[in-house]
Amino acid sequence: MLFHVRMDVDIPRDLDPEVRADTVAREKAYSQDLQRAGTWPHIWRIVGEYSNYSIFDVTDNDELHALLSGLPLFPYMTITVTPLATHPSDIAAG
Ligand SMILES: O=C(O)C[C@H]1C=CC(=O)O1
């Protein structure tokens, strides 16, 4: 199942800089592991914002929830999930 996910990041300004750097580094590693596995096939920065648009390819809602809630930056994110269905005019879908 494909999901479009928007992540808006808002890290508190008073967060310890070392904690911030460690959390961002762990987030990058977590994300890149899922990208290599094909579970997180697309990630795009939204221009001018500390936000991204991503596509997740997972088995079901529960898997997506587990992955998103495991993000190291999860406590500092607002996440918006949109389930995707095949468009009837999509030539790639046949
Ligand atoms: O920077 C972001 O958009 C937040 C987050 C998502 C992946 C990652 O490495 O950081």
Side-chain angles (χ1 to χ4, degrees):
M1 297 174 67
L2 294 174
F3 291 87
H4 178 275
V5 178
R6 176 176 176 140
M7 302 178 202
D8 296 298
V9 186
D10 186 13
I11 302 175
R13 290 186 189 281
D14 61 355
L15 188 67
D16 181 295
E18 284 186 21
V19 173
R20 180 191 174 106
D22 176 67
T23 306
V24 170
R26 287 187 295 111
E27 176 83 14
K28 182 173 183 176
Y30 183 96
S31 169
Q32 291 186 336
D33 283 348
L34 291 172
Q35 290 174 54
R36 287 187 198 97
T39 307
W40 190 339
H42 296 282
I43 180 168
W44 295 93
R45 177 63 77 217
I46 300 174
V47 174
E49 301 183 40
Y50 191 2
S51 305
N52 71 74
Y53 283 132
S54 289
I55 300 293
F56 282 79
D57 188 355
V58 294
T59 303
D60 56 25
N61 293 3
D62 291 334
E63 183 185 1
L64 182 63
H65 183 73
L67 292 176
L68 295 178
S69 56
L71 289 163
L73 284 174
F74 183 76
Y76 312 118
M77 282 180 173
T78 301
I79 299 177
T80 308
V81 175
T82 306
L84 301 176
T86 303
H87 194 286
S89 300
D90 182 0
I91 60 170

